[in-house]
Amino acid sequence: MKSFEEKELKRLYKPMVQTKGGNGQITIIGGSFLFHGAPILSLKTASRVVDMVFFTSPEPSIGKIAQHLKSKLFSFIWFPFDQIDEYIEKSDAILIGPGLMRYHKKISNFKFPVSSRLDEAGLETKKITERLLSEFPQKQWVIDAGSLQVMDKKFIPKDAILTPNQKEFVMLFGGEKPQVTAKKHDCIIVFKNAVTEIFSAQESSLIEGGNNGLIKGGTGDV
């Protein structure tokens, strides 16, 4: 496994045309009545580097929080969830999962199939996640948190970026090795830790220089 070097940052995507909106558009889907802070962290970070940030949630009350935040952070657009397909169509990338509901109660036994562990809240997140992934597989997806915990792995789009913690990885893939999983599903897996591990179908890398603070909840949302 090779170490990621700072000079490789220059290989990151840069828009061909430097115009308004030329630095990309992203849609963020997340938040619930229980987890309303997670997508806000994602929103703040994306607003610093992406030209157009669109934000929505299946939980209507998140809209009030977004409108309050917009008075301090102007570089995003909140839209009603029933317009989700329209905004995905015009986005370059979509982040789904931060703050979406998994279960109303904490689950400690992960040996049973996902479908048998979910309550109404988890089933709704599963339905939303799998529908959008299957209807827009050509988009660049980043799948996080709530969506990872409830979805079926057969819905993972090609080249999707998955950001599981250890528990979420086991819930979705069982005892598979991350490198095997990345090749099988042609995706990218990012394990956040003091040393972050990244696995793709072609290679694996280490990003050093972090610390144990990367284990803290919310760092994946950023």
Side-chain angles (χ1 to χ4, degrees):
M1 185 179 291
K2 70 173 186 178
S3 293
F4 183 85
E5 298 182 11
E6 186 176 345
K7 64 182 181 181
E8 295 183 63
L9 290 173
K10 295 181 180 180
R11 295 167 50 193
L12 294 177
Y13 167 79
K14 293 182 180 179
M16 296 296 292
V17 181
Q18 295 290 342
T19 60
K20 184 177 181 180
N23 201 38
Q25 299 186 124
I26 183 173
T27 290
I28 297 175
I29 307 164
S32 61
F33 73 90
L34 185 60
F35 304 111
H36 53 268
I40 303 302
L41 293 171
S42 304
L43 179 63
K44 286 183 175 181
T45 303
S47 296
R48 294 183 177 185
V49 295
V50 181
D51 281 355
M52 298 294 292
V53 180
F54 308 121
F55 177 38
T56 192
S57 174
E59 170 55 46
S61 65
I62 298 296
K64 297 179 181 179
I65 298 173
Q67 293 300 333
H68 175 72
L69 179 64
K70 198 169 182 178
S71 65
K72 301 178 181 179
L73 181 68
F74 297 97
S75 51
F76 76 91
I77 296 174
W78 163 264
F79 65 92
F81 191 71
D82 59 8
Q83 298 177 24
I84 183 66
D85 289 25
E86 173 188 346
Y87 279 87
I88 287 179
E89 284 281 9
K90 60 184 178 182
S91 294
D92 299 298
I94 303 95
L95 166 62
I96 187 169
L100 290 182
M101 286 295 291
R102 298 85 151 168
Y103 320 94
H104 283 101
K105 296 181 179 180
K106 185 176 180 180
I107 302 297
S108 58
N109 192 334
F110 303 107
K111 295 181 180 180
F112 299 106
V114 169
S115 58
S116 66
R117 298 196 306 259
L118 301 182
D119 59 14
E120 183 179 351
L123 288 172
E124 180 64 17
T125 296
K126 178 179 175 68
K127 178 181 177 181
I128 291 170
T129 299
E130 294 179 348
R131 181 186 79 80
L132 295 176
L133 294 178
S134 61
E135 292 188 10
F136 299 94
Q138 77 282 6
K139 292 295 184 177
Q140 177 60 68
W141 287 92
V142 180
I143 310 173
D144 184 45
S147 290
L148 286 175
Q149 293 189 28
V150 300
M151 66 179 287
D152 190 304
K153 58 188 176 184
K154 69 181 181 182
F155 289 95
I156 299 173
K158 182 178 182 295
D159 294 327
I161 300 171
L162 282 62
T163 61
N165 57 34
Q166 185 175 11
K167 181 181 72 174
E168 290 166 344
F169 183 86
V170 172
M171 291 173 68
L172 191 55
F173 301 111
E176 279 187 353
K177 298 290 186 181
Q179 185 67 69
V180 173
T181 299
K183 289 182 179 180
K184 182 186 296 185
H185 296 280
D186 202 2
C187 65
I188 298 171
I189 297 173
V190 180
F191 274 128
K192 305 170 296 293
N193 210 322
V195 176
T196 295
E197 299 173 282
I198 302 178
F199 302 89
S200 72
Q202 294 77 35
E203 60 183 346
S204 55
S205 300
L206 292 175
I207 300 180
E208 301 177 286
N211 56 56
N212 289 332
L214 290 172
I215 302 173
K216 178 178 172 58
T219 55
D221 306 310
V222 174

